[in-house]
Amino acid sequence: ETLGDRRHTQYDMHLELVVEAAEAEYLNTNFPAANNLIEMVLQHGKKLLDRNPAYEIKIQILVAQYKFNDATDTGLQALELLGYPVNLSEQEFLVELPALERLEDYPLMTDPAQRAAMRILQASLASIFAGRPQILLPVVLKQVKLSIQYGHSPLASSAYAWYGTLLCGGLGNIELGYQAGRLALQLLEAREHKAVTYNMFYSFIQHWKEPVRESLSSLAEGVQSGLESGNNEYA
C-alpha cells in the first residue's frame, strides 16, 4: 500500500508514520527496508515539503554507507527543488553576526521552505566534509546567511558552530570564530541539535581561547545527547 492509497483525512498521519518507520530502520542499520519506505514518500508525497524528511534520511543512509558523493548530490538536488540552491563558488566568508546581547530581538525563521532548506543543508554537511570539502565553505555560508536574512530556526546553533569551526581553522579568524561558537551555544534549544553544536564548539572552537580540559565534560555530554536523540554520526 502506498501513501496515495490513503484517504485524504489519513494522509498526514500515514506520512508521519512512514517517515518515522524509515528513520527507525536506518538507525537499526536495516538500509534496504529504510530505502523502500523513503522511496514510498518520494514517489507519493503530495508536496515537496512532505518529501523533504525522506531526503534527509536518504542522505544519512548514504553517509552511513560511506557514499559521500551520492549523499552530497542528493542534498544539493533537494535544495534546488526547494528554491534555495547553493552558490558553489562562494568564497567571501566574512558576515556580520547578530550581537549576543540582542538575540531576544532577533526574528525567528517561520517559512517552512526555509526551515526545510536548513535541515537539508545540515544533513549534507558530514558528507561534504568527508567527500567534497572544497564546497564546505559555501554550504556553511548558505546556512549562516539564511539565518541572518530570514531569522533563526532551531538549526541556527549548529550553523554558527560549523561557521565558527571554519573560521578558527583554515580561515584563520579566531576572534570571529569564537564569537560564532558562543552564539551557537546561546541559541541551542532543541536536544536533537545538541550533539552537533557541542561536537563542533568543544572539539574545534573552544580550545583556541580556553584551556582544552574545559571541553571534556561537555564533549561527553554531547556524545550522550547524540545517542539519546538518534544523531549517530555526531555522537
Side-chain angles (χ1 to χ4, degrees):
E1 188 172 34
T2 70
L3 287 169
D5 296 326
R6 291 294 191 177
R7 292 179 302 175
H8 179 72
T9 55
Q10 295 179 319
Y11 170 79
D12 289 341
M13 182 176 67
H14 193 204
L15 175 71
E16 184 176 355
L17 288 172
V18 173
V19 170
E20 293 287 343
E23 184 175 22
E25 296 288 7
Y26 150 67
L27 291 172
N28 283 286
T29 67
N30 191 355
F31 301 139
N35 279 321
N36 288 337
L37 293 165
I38 286 169
E39 287 306 313
M40 182 189 297
V41 176
L42 293 180
Q43 290 179 26
H44 300 287
K46 294 179 179 179
K47 298 179 293 185
L48 177 59
L49 290 178
D50 293 343
R51 300 190 290 273
N52 201 69
Y55 281 115
E56 293 180 51
I57 300 171
K58 184 175 182 178
I59 292 168
Q60 292 170 329
I61 291 172
L62 291 167
V63 169
Q65 296 175 306
Y66 305 104
K67 298 177 180 179
F68 301 125
N69 281 323
D70 289 343
T72 298
D73 289 339
T74 299
L76 294 175
Q77 176 191 8
L79 289 165
E80 289 274 359
L81 293 172
L82 284 165
Y84 293 96
V86 178
N87 177 7
L88 297 179
S89 62
E90 175 71 81
Q91 293 297 321
E92 178 50 59
F93 62 86
L94 293 178
V95 299
E96 185 176 349
L97 297 175
L100 284 173
E101 61 271 16
R102 298 187 60 188
L103 278 183
E104 65 275 6
D105 300 328
Y106 209 78
L108 297 176
M109 181 182 288
T110 57
D111 184 272
Q114 293 164 3
R115 292 168 69 97
M118 289 288 289
R119 295 189 67 88
I120 291 294
L121 286 161
Q122 179 59 46
S124 303
L125 285 174
S127 66
I128 292 168
F129 179 79
R132 215 177 295 173
Q134 66 271 22
I135 67 168
L136 182 60
L137 175 59
V139 170
V140 171
L141 284 171
K142 184 70 173 181
Q143 270 198 309
V144 171
K145 289 180 177 181
L146 281 174
S147 299
I148 292 173
Q149 184 174 357
Y150 298 113
H152 289 145
S153 73
L155 274 165
S157 60
S158 55
Y160 288 125
W162 266 96
Y163 183 50
T165 294
L166 295 182
L167 285 166
C168 287
L171 298 177
N173 193 325
I174 292 172
E175 293 301 326
L176 186 60
Y178 186 74
Q179 180 188 346
R182 299 304 304 180
L183 182 60
L185 293 181
Q186 192 76 14
L187 287 168
L188 181 61
E189 294 181 2
R191 186 184 69 168
E192 65 176 305
H193 307 307
K194 186 173 184 178
V196 184
T197 303
Y198 271 37
N199 181 34
M200 306 314 293
F201 181 81
Y202 291 108
S203 294
F204 304 112
I205 298 174
Q206 188 187 39
H207 70 275
W208 292 99
K209 298 282 287 184
E210 303 175 50
V212 69
R213 63 177 175 270
E214 301 294 332
S215 66
L216 298 180
S217 61
S218 295
L219 282 170
E221 188 178 342
V223 170
Q224 186 61 35
S225 178
L227 294 174
E228 291 174 356
S229 63
N231 195 335
N232 291 351
E233 59 183 313
Y234 283 93

